């Protein structure tokens, strides 16, 4: 995460520096002369900077273009070395031109008008500095060993997550009913035994048995003696009835 942020900031600084370096030759460098008017090989001769003109690719535009191209390549390949080289080239040629121009003029002046150093030199110096700062900020490309270690760590984390998922699936397979079965058991425990219903195809529901204290009082009186089925004596039948039956009839009549 930190490497990515550093790379992003460094790449932005390098791109801005390259743009400034490309724009610099088309701005005033000294006494109103543009950077593209100074011959680049005059920086390495004994005569120094002269008033002669120059073509575009024979002027200060050439080294600054090389610096900008190297900076762009460094951004594409995320190479700190290329961005560093671009900054050194841009800043070095700008400083070398200032030295040779000062030797030719005797001194360098900075004024608010068109005389003296112009904005083109400032853009070249700023572009080179931004490239150097971008190269210092960039994290660069990962080494092969670091990249391999990071891939192995990611693979181990992925394997650990897969093992955890397999373990949870095995636990779920061991309990086929899962949460629904546990909830059903909890509800069955809360319902009285006589209020439950047997599942289809299972054991029949338990019958409700009254406790002794819930049963009614035992019938009073003597038991009824055995009668002959062919007896037609109504009077004897009435006399043989128990007190319990008579009491029951009296209670119903009442």
């Amino acid at each position: 995460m930190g490497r990515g942020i550093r790379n992003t900031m460094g790449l932005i600084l390098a791109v801005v520096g390259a743009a400034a370096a490309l724009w610099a030759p088309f701005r005033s460098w000294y006494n109103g002369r543009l950077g593209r008017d100074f011959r680049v090989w005059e920086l390495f001769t004994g005569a120094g900077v002269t008033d002669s003109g120059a073509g575009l690719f024979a002027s200060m535009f050439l080294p600054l273009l090389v610096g900008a191209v190297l900076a762009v390549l460094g951004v594409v390949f995320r190479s700190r070395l290329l961005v560093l080289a671009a900054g050194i080239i841009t800043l070095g040629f700008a400083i070398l031109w200032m030295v040779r121009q000062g030797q030719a003029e005797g001194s360098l002046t900075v004024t608010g008008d068109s005389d003296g150093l112009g904005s083109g030199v400032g853009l070249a110096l700023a572009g080179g500095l931004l490239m150097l700062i971008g190269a210092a900020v960039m994290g660069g490309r990962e080494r092969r060993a670091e990249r391999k270690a990071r891939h192995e760590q990611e693979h181990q984390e992925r394997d650990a997550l897969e093992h955890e998922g397999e373990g949870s699936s095995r636990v779920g397979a061991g309990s086929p009913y899962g949460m629904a079965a546990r909830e059903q058991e909890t509800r069955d425990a809360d319902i009285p035994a006589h209020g439950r219903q047997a599942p289809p195809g299972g054991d029949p529901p338990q019958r409700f048995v009254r406790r002794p204290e819930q049963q009614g009082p035992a019938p009073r009186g003597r038991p009824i003696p055995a009668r002959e089925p062919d007896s037609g004596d109504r009077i004897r039948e009435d006399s043989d009835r128990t007190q319990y039956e008579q009491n029951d009839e009296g209670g119903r009549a009442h």
Side-chain angles (χ1 to χ4, degrees):
M1 184 64 180
R3 182 185 294 271
I5 295 175
R6 290 180 56 186
N7 279 333
T8 302
M9 295 180 61
L11 296 178
I12 292 174
L13 292 175
V15 170
V16 174
L22 285 177
W23 191 22
F26 302 95
R27 302 290 298 175
S28 173
W29 281 51
Y30 196 79
N31 289 336
R33 290 183 65 185
L34 303 181
R36 64 183 183 182
D37 293 335
F38 293 94
R39 296 178 179 178
V40 65
W41 63 81
E42 290 181 349
L43 302 178
F44 305 99
T45 60
V49 178
T50 63
D51 294 336
S52 302
L56 181 62
F57 289 98
S59 65
M60 292 297 299
F61 174 75
L62 180 62
L64 299 182
L65 175 62
V66 172
V69 171
L70 289 178
V72 173
L73 291 177
V75 168
V76 173
F77 296 104
R78 295 185 180 183
S79 174
R80 299 178 61 185
L81 184 61
L82 289 177
V83 177
L84 180 63
I88 292 174
I89 291 174
T90 303
L91 193 62
F93 272 88
I95 294 175
L96 179 60
W97 176 88
M98 291 176 65
V99 172
R100 300 297 286 172
Q101 183 67 33
Q103 291 176 352
E105 296 290 335
S107 63
L108 294 177
T109 58
V110 180
T111 59
D113 51 12
S114 58
D115 297 336
L117 293 174
S119 59
V121 181
L123 286 174
L125 294 174
L129 288 175
L130 287 176
M131 293 178 193
L132 293 179
I133 295 173
V137 171
M138 288 176 61
R141 298 180 62 182
E142 290 183 344
R143 296 180 180 178
R144 182 175 300 177
E146 295 177 354
R147 185 166 58 253
K148 184 178 180 180
R150 182 172 59 83
H151 289 168
E152 290 179 355
Q153 183 178 1
E154 292 177 354
H155 184 68
Q156 292 176 359
E157 293 177 354
R158 185 165 55 252
D159 290 343
L161 292 176
E162 291 178 357
H163 289 323
E164 290 179 359
E166 291 177 358
S168 61
S169 62
R170 290 176 182 175
V171 171
S175 57
Y177 295 100
M179 291 297 296
R182 289 194 291 271
E183 293 177 358
Q184 182 65 30
E185 291 176 357
T186 305
R187 289 195 297 269
D188 292 344
D190 296 337
I191 300 175
H194 63 275
R196 302 178 187 173
Q197 295 181 356
D203 297 334
Q206 299 179 358
R207 299 183 60 184
F208 173 68
V209 181
R210 298 179 62 181
R211 297 179 181 177
E213 58 271 13
Q214 297 178 352
Q215 296 179 359
R220 293 175 295 174
R222 293 173 299 174
I224 301 174
R227 303 186 185 92
E228 295 180 0
D230 55 350
S231 177
D233 191 358
R234 185 67 176 177
I235 298 173
R236 185 179 179 181
E237 183 179 358
D238 293 337
S239 62
D240 289 340
R241 288 185 298 178
T242 62
Q243 184 182 359
Y244 174 74
E245 292 177 343
Q246 293 174 4
N247 291 337
D248 287 344
E249 289 181 358
R252 287 194 295 271
H254 178 72

